[in-house]
């Protein structure tokens, strides 16, 4: 060894321009799929100087990733892959992601930073109540807590009795779970009057959208401070971003990846504060780099720096998926926006439907059908609040609580009658 870096050596964290240059060249040279993808978009890796050229790079999608199943995206020799993870995928094939030793290391470093941001210390006992195996969650939480030097109690998901036993006997101070399971634990703790006997002080919840009502309940019942964690399998897994104690959005670790927000329809970059689709580009991910990867997650980047002093940019809590969007009079409407309005209004249930049809001479009409206990002024109140929240004036129909269809799987919310 002469001491000079190998041509393919990763840049140190923190230099975004070098990270972009390295990632594009690495993908181009390491994977026939990426080479074809970049050439198809007319990109010569040598012409990419850094962040300023980001918009010249082609988008990549989950569909691309699936088409190159199982390891067509991998940009390193297979002998350098030390682990794979996969997400279950509600439609079609699994999404498989490969990691080198360096990737696993970077993930643990980012996750340890998440724990630190939430106030976790090496003296804490971290109970990991999420899935292990192909799923990224368990391995991620565990590696991050170990990297920090905390003690891990790896109980895995489910098994309420075991969870409570470990929480009591090992005096777990940090609870990591999905928000649904967090709620289940919180209600079991309340039923059994265990709250005073627990040592839990911090909860870290991820992997699903959760409303303020659920969050407040978990916080109150368990007496903990709750943090939303960010991540997706394609981007290492959970632990690539987290809320800070200000609880205004999630910091994203900009020394490892770059966040863009684009208009889901046109692909045009949006300004800070504007809601659109989150697009990710990694800066030093070896086995499976992401170049302008379209997550389909909807959020925005906060325009102003966080009061906590952390300089890493923040994204808002995820508002839904691009797949859920419907356009009414040219305005994008998401079920999640409707949910957040309904959550604020007293006497309104959680079940609703959106019906869109076209009226000759009037254009699109949006009808929101919602379960509610009828009361004076409720309908007008809902029309007003939905109009504020959606930027479109809807019609509102109140229906009897329990009258809308329930589903054990994903409930259909949007009924677009315009095409029929
Ligand atoms: Zn902050």
């Amino acid at each position: 060894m002469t001491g000079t870096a190998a041509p393919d050596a990763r840049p140190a964290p923190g230099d975004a321009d070098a990270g972009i240059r390295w990632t594009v060249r690495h993908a181009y040279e390491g994977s026939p799929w990426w080479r074809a993808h970049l050439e198809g978009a007319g990109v010569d890796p040598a012409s990419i100087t850094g962040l300023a050229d980001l918009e010249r790079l082609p988008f990549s999608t989950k569909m691309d990733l699936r088409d190159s199943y199982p390891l067509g995206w991998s940009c390193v020799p297979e002998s350098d892959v030390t682990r794979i993870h996969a997400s279950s995928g509600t439609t079609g094939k699994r999404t498989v992601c490969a990691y080198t030793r360096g990737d696993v290391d970077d993930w643990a470093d980012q996750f340890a930073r998440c724990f630190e941001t939430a106030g976790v210390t090496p003296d804490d006992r971290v109970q990991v109540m999420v899935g292990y195996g192909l799923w990224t969650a368990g391995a991620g939480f565990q590696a991050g807590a170990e990297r920090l030097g905390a003690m891990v109690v790896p109980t895995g998901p489910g098994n309420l009795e075991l969870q409570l036993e470990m929480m009591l006997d090992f005096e777990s101070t940090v609870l990591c779970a999905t928000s649904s399971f967090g709620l289940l634990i919180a209600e079991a703790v309340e039923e059994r009057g265990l709250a005073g006997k627990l040592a839990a002080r911090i909860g870290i919840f991820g992997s699903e959208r959760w409303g303020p009502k659920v969050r407040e309940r978990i916080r109150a019942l368990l007496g903990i401070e709750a943090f939303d964690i960010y991540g997706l399998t394609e981007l290492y897994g959970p632990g690539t971003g987290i809320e800070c104690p200000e609880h205004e959005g999630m910091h994203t670790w900009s020394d490892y990846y770059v966040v863009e927000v684009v208009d889901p329809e046109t692909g045009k970059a949006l300004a800070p504060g504007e809601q659109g689709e989150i697009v990710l580009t990694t800066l030093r991910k070896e086995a499976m780099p992401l170049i302008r990867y379209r997550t389909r997650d909807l959020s925005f980047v906060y325009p102003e720096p966080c009061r906590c002093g952390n300089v890493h940019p923040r994204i808002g809590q995820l508002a839904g998926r691009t797949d859920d969007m419907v356009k009414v009079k040219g305005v994008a409407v998401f079920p999640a926006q409707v949910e957040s309005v309904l959550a604020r209004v007293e006497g309104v249930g959680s079940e609703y439907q959106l019906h869109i049809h076209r009226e000759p001479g009037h254009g699109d009409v949006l009808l929101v059908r919602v379960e509610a206990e009828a009361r004076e002024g409720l309908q007008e109140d809902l029309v007003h609040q939905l109009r504020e929240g959606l930027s479109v004036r809807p019609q509102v129909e109140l229906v009897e609580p329990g009258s809308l269809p329930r589903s054990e799987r994903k409930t259909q919310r949007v009924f677009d009658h315009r095409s029929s």
Side-chain angles (χ1 to χ4, degrees):
M1 295 298 286
T2 58
T4 50
D8 202 32
R10 295 186 297 169
D15 185 343
D17 287 327
I20 299 277
R21 287 197 301 271
W22 176 84
T23 296
V24 173
R25 202 180 58 239
H26 174 69
Y28 184 86
E29 288 167 1
S31 146
W33 185 88
W34 274 112
R35 178 178 293 237
H37 189 60
L38 290 164
E39 278 177 350
V43 173
D44 171 10
S47 73
I48 299 299
T49 61
L51 271 180
D53 294 319
L54 200 53
E55 280 193 61
R56 284 177 46 212
L57 296 168
F59 290 120
S60 52
T61 66
K62 202 178 191 96
M63 203 58 81
D64 295 331
L65 186 53
R66 290 211 180 109
D67 287 348
S68 60
Y69 181 91
L71 289 176
W73 258 28
S74 183
C75 299
V76 297
E78 219 170 292
S79 57
D80 289 351
V81 173
T82 57
R83 193 196 291 175
I84 64 149
H85 280 291
S87 65
S88 46
T90 46
T91 52
K93 268 188 233 156
R94 283 174 203 290
T95 309
V96 176
C97 295
Y99 302 71
T100 63
R101 181 171 303 165
D103 294 333
V104 169
D105 241 18
D106 279 357
W107 185 16
D109 283 340
Q110 292 178 78
F111 217 133
R113 192 191 286 169
C114 287
F115 277 125
E116 272 180 317
T117 303
V120 180
T121 75
D123 294 331
D124 276 297
R125 292 172 292 278
V126 180
Q127 190 159 325
V128 180
M129 308 189 277
V130 296
Y132 281 79
L134 277 178
W135 182 237
T136 46
F141 276 100
Q142 168 139 1
E146 286 178 355
R147 181 66 47 102
L148 182 66
M151 184 177 104
V152 177
V153 183
T155 44
N159 204 341
L160 194 59
E161 297 307 320
L162 172 77
Q163 304 292 1
L164 295 173
E165 184 188 326
M166 292 290 139
M167 282 164 69
L168 289 166
D169 295 354
F170 287 91
E171 301 183 339
S172 301
T173 52
V174 180
L175 307 178
C176 309
T178 61
S179 51
S180 317
F181 196 62
L183 183 61
L184 209 71
I185 293 271
E187 289 178 340
V189 163
E190 187 198 27
E191 270 165 34
R192 299 170 198 208
L194 297 176
K197 298 180 179 142
L198 297 178
R201 61 186 193 89
I202 290 172
I204 297 178
F205 303 100
S207 91
E208 50 189 342
R209 203 175 72 221
W210 55 323
K213 283 183 177 172
V214 173
R215 186 194 184 96
E216 187 44 47
R217 190 157 162 77
I218 296 176
R219 195 159 52 190
L221 294 180
L222 290 175
I224 57 174
E225 185 172 3
F227 294 86
D228 218 351
I229 195 158
Y230 179 64
L232 55 157
T233 304
E234 301 91 308
L235 181 67
Y236 303 94
T240 48
I242 195 167
E243 276 185 88
C244 67
E246 297 288 336
H247 298 289
E248 267 190 83
M250 297 177 282
H251 287 283
T252 57
W253 305 142
S254 55
D255 40 356
Y256 291 90
Y257 63 100
V258 176
V259 174
E260 291 174 274
V261 177
V262 305
D263 182 314
E265 293 211 338
T266 65
K268 271 189 74 93
L270 295 175
E274 289 186 309
Q275 181 169 280
E277 180 176 0
I278 298 275
V279 172
L280 302 171
T281 302
T282 56
L283 299 174
R284 44 186 272 119
K285 198 160 179 274
E286 292 178 311
M288 280 203 177
L290 300 180
I291 296 175
R292 302 197 85 199
Y293 182 71
R294 299 188 65 149
T295 63
R296 301 192 208 168
D297 285 326
L298 293 163
S299 186
F300 61 93
V301 172
Y302 279 82
E304 69 283 343
C306 187
R307 282 191 298 251
C308 78
N310 187 325
V311 296
H312 289 283
R314 287 171 297 157
I315 56 171
Q317 197 186 34
L318 304 184
R321 314 265 305 157
T322 52
D323 325 38
D324 301 336
M325 185 187 81
V326 62
K327 280 227 167 174
V328 180
K329 292 185 174 172
V331 177
V333 171
F334 298 94
Q337 295 172 299
V338 176
E339 279 166 33
S340 70
V341 170
L342 298 183
R344 293 199 296 266
V345 181
E346 203 155 330
V348 172
S350 61
E351 295 311 300
Y352 67 93
Q353 293 180 339
L354 306 182
H355 292 267
I356 305 105
H357 58 270
R358 192 159 279 149
E359 245 171 43
H362 287 91
D364 298 335
V365 176
L366 171 65
L367 170 69
V368 181
R369 193 171 278 165
V370 58
E371 289 184 5
E373 306 281 356
R375 67 172 157 82
E376 187 76 23
L378 176 59
Q379 192 161 9
E380 294 71 28
D381 191 20
L382 274 172
V383 169
H384 175 73
Q385 299 234 26
L386 284 165
R387 197 208 137 106
E388 296 273 296
L390 305 178
S391 309
V392 167
R393 185 185 171 83
Q395 297 175 355
V396 170
E397 182 188 335
L398 304 179
V399 300
E400 284 286 306
S403 64
L404 292 176
R406 262 62 174 169
S407 167
E408 284 182 16
R409 296 163 62 84
K410 198 173 155 64
T411 306
Q412 187 180 359
R413 304 288 187 194
V414 178
F415 300 80
D416 192 340
H417 306 287
R418 286 173 298 190
S419 45
S420 50

